[in-house]
Amino acid sequence: MRSAPSAARKYWLMKTEPDVFSLQDLTARPGQRELWDGVRNYQARNFMTNDMKVGDLVLFYHSNADPSGVAGIAEIIEPALPDPSAWDKNSEYFDPKSTPEQPRWFCVAVGKPQLFKNFISLDELRTHAALQEMLVLKRGQRLSIQPVTPQEFDYVCALGMKS
DNA sequence: GCCAACGTTGGC
DNA sequence: GCCAACGTTGGC
């Protein structure tokens, strides 16, 4: 069956520091599922609450790494829910302004990790004309969740999976 | 660990 | 609602 345009799958790039949580870590999680908690930026939050849908696909980006780059892909497997780390006093993501009654921060669940055969470094991304508009390549772009076009997603995937 | 870029906070 | 100070991100 054909999906309505409003239900069209969207594509994202999500940054994580692999020392903290890597794509390999996601693969090792029970059910290969993890909450994408700790997002404390309104623009990134709004992407999760307003635009992300279950089934959207994600370029899984390792930042602050050696080298940084796209390690593989994952999928949004649960829609946004209040981020429980915000009201956990022991969490580094604790935010007293967020409460269970009035949550300020939200998180989606990611799963279905697929590690690329080829890690696509930031340097390599820069060499491809088709990828020049990717936000992650823009100077000073710090958003931890970024939209990518279907074309960019497919292109990076092809690079990552080719032998 | 440096530092440019940029988001957030808070005094006014 | 301006904007300086401060904090964070993330490549290098």
Side-chain angles (χ1 to χ4, degrees), chain A residues 113-142:
Chain A
Q114 280 186 256
L115 199 63
F116 280 167
K117 181 182 293 181
N118 316 300
F119 181 89
I120 308 301
S121 69
L122 187 57
D123 281 348
E124 169 151 18
L125 290 176
R126 289 190 201 285
T127 65
H128 293 275
L131 305 177
Q132 291 313 295
E133 295 305 312
M134 284 187 78
L135 293 177
V136 74
L137 302 185
K138 306 278 182 189
R139 184 180 166 82
Q141 178 51 260
R142 307 184 323 187

Side-chain angles (χ1 to χ4, degrees), chain A residues 4-5 9 13 20 57 61 76 87 95 101 109 132 138-139:
Chain A
R9 170 180 271 171
L13 178 147
V20 179
L57 295 178
Y61 183 87
I76 305 304
W87 51 72
D95 180 353
E101 294 72 32
Q132 291 313 295
K138 306 278 182 189
R139 184 180 166 82

Side-chain angles (χ1 to χ4, degrees), chain A residues 15-133:
Chain A
K15 296 181 186 172
T16 173
E17 302 194 19
D19 291 349
V20 179
F21 185 71
S22 68
L23 187 55
Q24 290 83 351
D25 291 333
L26 177 60
T27 304
R29 280 292 193 272
Q32 299 194 329
R33 168 195 180 272
E34 185 64 291
L35 285 182
W36 203 262
D37 59 3
V39 171
R40 297 293 179 268
N41 169 283
Y42 288 104
Q43 205 177 342
R45 179 201 69 179
N46 292 344
F47 282 139
M48 289 195 288
T49 56
N50 301 343
D51 301 311
M52 274 185 180
K53 296 281 190 323
V54 171
D56 285 2
L57 295 178
V58 175
L59 293 175
F60 201 102
Y61 183 87
H62 285 174
S63 63
N64 258 324
D66 189 19
S68 295
V70 180
I73 65 175
E75 187 169 324
I76 305 304
I77 59 170
E78 291 169 46
L81 66 141
D83 182 344
S85 70
W87 51 72
D88 174 2
K89 282 203 167 67
N90 297 317
S91 170
E92 61 174 313
Y93 304 121
F94 176 67
D95 180 353
K97 295 182 187 132
S98 188
T99 65
E101 294 72 32
Q102 287 232 295
R104 168 177 297 205
W105 303 114
F106 290 78
C107 55
V108 294
V110 297
K112 302 188 185 177
Q114 280 186 256
L115 199 63
F116 280 167
K117 181 182 293 181
N118 316 300
F119 181 89
I120 308 301
S121 69
L122 187 57
D123 281 348
E124 169 151 18
L125 290 176
R126 289 190 201 285
T127 65
H128 293 275
L131 305 177
Q132 291 313 295
E133 295 305 312

